[in-house]
Amino acid sequence: MNQHKTSAKQPLKADAIEQWHAETDVLIVGFGAAGASAAIEAADAGAQVLVLEAASAGGGTTAMAGGQIYFGGGTPTQIDCGIEDSLEDMYRFLIATGGPDVDEARVRLYVDSNLAHFDWLVAQGLEFKSEYVAEKLNNTHGDEGLIYSGMETCYPYDEIARPAPRGHKGRAVGEGGGALLMETLIAAAQRKGVKVEYDARALTAIVDESNRVVGLVARIDGEERCIAAHRGVILCAGGFIMNRDMVAEHAPRLLASNFPLGNPNDTGAGILIGQGVGGAAINMHEGFISLPFYPPSSMVEGIVINGSGQRVVAEDCYHGRMGEEMFASPEEKFYLIIDSTNFETLQKPPLGGYSVADVGETAEELEQALNLPEGSLCQTLEFFNRHAQQGEDPLFHKRPPYLKPLDQPPYAAFDFSMGGGAWFPAFTFGGLHTGLDGEVLNSKGETIPGLYAAGRTSCGLPRCGALYSSGLSIGDATFFGRRAGVAAAAEV
Ligand SMILES: Cc1cc2nc3c(=O)[nH]c(=O)nc-3n(C[C@H](O)[C@H](O)[C@H](O)COP(=O)(O)OP(=O)(O)OC[C@H]3O[C@@H](n4cnc5c(N)ncnc54)[C@H](O)[C@@H]3O)c2cc1C
């Protein structure tokens, strides 16, 4: 047994190792979407593949996910559903919503290859049902395969790129899409002879005299073991939302979320291991922070106001955009105001289970009950209704079919404030800086030999919480995981 005081930030020198416990060509950390995709490709390229998985089973956060995958530009599902889309519209939309740190080359590659990636997932055994649901949803209730999963129909994106639904889910009921995806990828990896060591936690990298990564130290059965990787190590250990110290250091605003969205091993281990050998971590402050206020889509017909009675956002936006508004002003009060038409259509509480802050027979009554400045809500409603009757929203450009006057009292207000009982889930986007083949880069943009990363361990396609679309994280993890697997297997 090797006795090292192991820290992710302190790689082990290969020449100090007395005993190697195992060897492989490609060594992968984590058996979620990125790790499984990397493993399949590396095995297909003829490499011997070993995956270290800290949990007792594969799947990771991906298996907990709704399983939306962002595909477009004319997928078989879109075509079967009669949806017109083009790669250029998809590209324009992703660039427009990529945020200030958008990686144009990464988006271009993903868009241009995404139809082949769709086919690859189908070839692994994932089936998509060609049924489109037009309602505004987080995910389909049944096994339908296609929804709008971002802000494609919202201003100004509907003017920048022709809208098309691009949220694809494998044929699983409701939120089972991520579990089905992982069952499919794990079964495919097993068929290809990928070996998996469960309850095996990667701790740090092993480097040779030239600082090439040549293996990993892992804790297996309570012992630290050294595993050699002849071709490459791929870090696919997920993000860091469960590591509160890391979140406090890099993305402190995410601490305000009351629901870390991930599995217990989202502790940033992969990022720390990569940093230990000089890997740069980028965009670490960014993450997805959401207020999942729909379904039902009737909620979207309401208006969202702050404690001054003023509207703050186009309410037909993606739920991540809505969450961002509340996160930007955490001390502020926020309410979703609906009238009796909307209230009657609420057959069950909205997804997030938000509490009703108050009700009023009239707008004035609700305004007083919520302690809003005198006249503020009444003015906001009068202005909104006057324009909504004409099909317009000059302030925020909310679009039909959700743009409707709220002129049927009584009124109700849902509390969307942070601390008001609303559900604010969050996960991280920042991670290791990588090239298009997953090669980990240092702060000068130089490759760290032998080291790759993918999924939320890397900074990939998802870069901007305020403009995110569901499906980008799994799309990124599977696609760039595959590329890392191919590249690592090709090393000699
Ligand atoms: C409820 C929910 C719904 C979501 N819905 C969607 C959606 O519809 N679409 C979408 O795109 N995204 C969605 N996401 C986000 C998405 O699921 C994740 O961002 C993505 O799946 C991450 O994939 P990954 O391969 O990077 O990580 P994971 O799937 O988490 O895999 C990482 C694996 O690494 C293992 N690991 C960690 N540390 C170590 C270590 N030191 N040694 C060995 N193993 C280790 C973990 O146990 C885990 O199995 C959702 C997330 C949640 C929680």
Side-chain angles (χ1 to χ4, degrees), residues 128-400:
F128 293 91
K129 184 177 179 188
S130 291
E131 192 173 338
Y132 162 58
V133 182
E135 195 188 336
K136 196 161 177 75
L137 293 171
N138 277 303
N139 212 337
T140 55
H141 297 306
D143 62 355
E144 308 89 342
L146 189 61
I147 56 167
Y148 273 102
S149 67
M151 294 196 285
E152 295 85 351
T153 56
C154 304
Y155 175 85
Y157 309 106
D158 60 339
E159 294 179 358
I160 293 170
R162 182 178 51 167
R166 304 194 182 102
H168 290 65
K169 183 184 75 170
R171 194 166 187 166
V173 173
E175 296 299 313
L180 177 70
L181 171 69
M182 284 317 304
E183 273 167 36
T184 307
L185 292 178
I186 288 171
Q190 279 165 349
R191 284 196 301 274
K192 317 251 171 197
V194 168
K195 288 193 189 138
V196 187
E197 186 87 56
Y198 292 106
D199 301 307
R201 185 172 296 277
L203 301 175
T204 194
I206 300 171
V207 293
D208 69 10
E209 62 288 349
S210 69
N211 270 337
R212 181 188 171 82
V213 175
V214 293
L216 288 168
V217 182
R219 190 181 304 115
I220 302 170
D221 293 334
E223 289 188 4
E224 289 187 13
R225 298 186 181 172
C226 297
I227 303 164
H230 300 307
R231 301 196 196 176
V233 166
I234 311 178
L235 302 170
C236 302
F240 62 94
I241 193 65
M242 295 300 177
N243 184 333
R244 304 317 268 171
D245 289 344
M246 263 178 96
V247 175
E249 187 180 347
H250 299 290
R253 70 192 187 117
L254 298 190
L255 287 175
S257 152
N258 52 18
F259 195 90
L261 207 52
N263 82 84
N265 290 320
D266 273 326
T267 55
I271 298 171
L272 295 173
I273 292 171
Q275 285 181 308
V277 290
I282 59 169
N283 208 27
M284 291 290 280
H285 63 290
E286 263 295 351
F288 166 86
I289 38 188
S290 155
L291 179 86
F293 66 108
Y294 56 84
S297 55
S298 52
M299 293 290 275
V300 181
E301 293 171 13
I303 56 168
V304 174
I305 58 162
N306 60 17
S308 304
Q310 308 302 306
R311 278 178 75 213
V312 293
V313 69
E315 295 82 2
D316 57 349
C317 65
Y318 177 65
H319 52 86
R321 173 86 181 84
M322 185 65 82
E324 279 282 341
E325 278 305 321
M326 280 86 231
F327 267 62
S329 315
E331 307 304 330
E332 183 81 75
K333 282 278 178 199
F334 291 98
Y335 303 103
L336 175 91
I337 310 292
I338 59 171
D339 72 2
S340 64
T341 7
N342 308 116
F343 209 62
E344 281 158 11
T345 59
L346 293 179
Q347 286 147 1
K348 56 178 184 174
L351 182 66
Y354 310 109
S355 56
V356 174
D358 237 309
V359 291
E361 288 302 324
T362 62
E364 289 89 341
E365 209 178 291
L366 185 60
E367 187 181 280
Q368 281 165 15
L370 296 176
N371 221 5
L372 301 173
E374 193 186 337
S376 58
L377 176 60
C378 296
Q379 254 181 22
T380 295
L381 273 173
E382 188 280 323
F383 184 87
F384 175 79
N385 287 343
R386 183 154 40 93
H387 291 283
Q389 268 149 11
Q390 311 302 317
E392 287 164 7
D393 172 17
L395 282 189
F396 293 105
H397 308 277
K398 183 175 177 177
R399 300 298 201 202

Side-chain angles (χ1 to χ4, degrees), residues 30 32-34 53-54 60-62 65-68 200 202 236-237 261 265 456 471 473-474:
E53 169 52 57
T61 296
T62 314
Q68 286 294 321
C236 302
L261 207 52
N265 290 320
R456 297 292 54 78
S473 190
I474 294 178

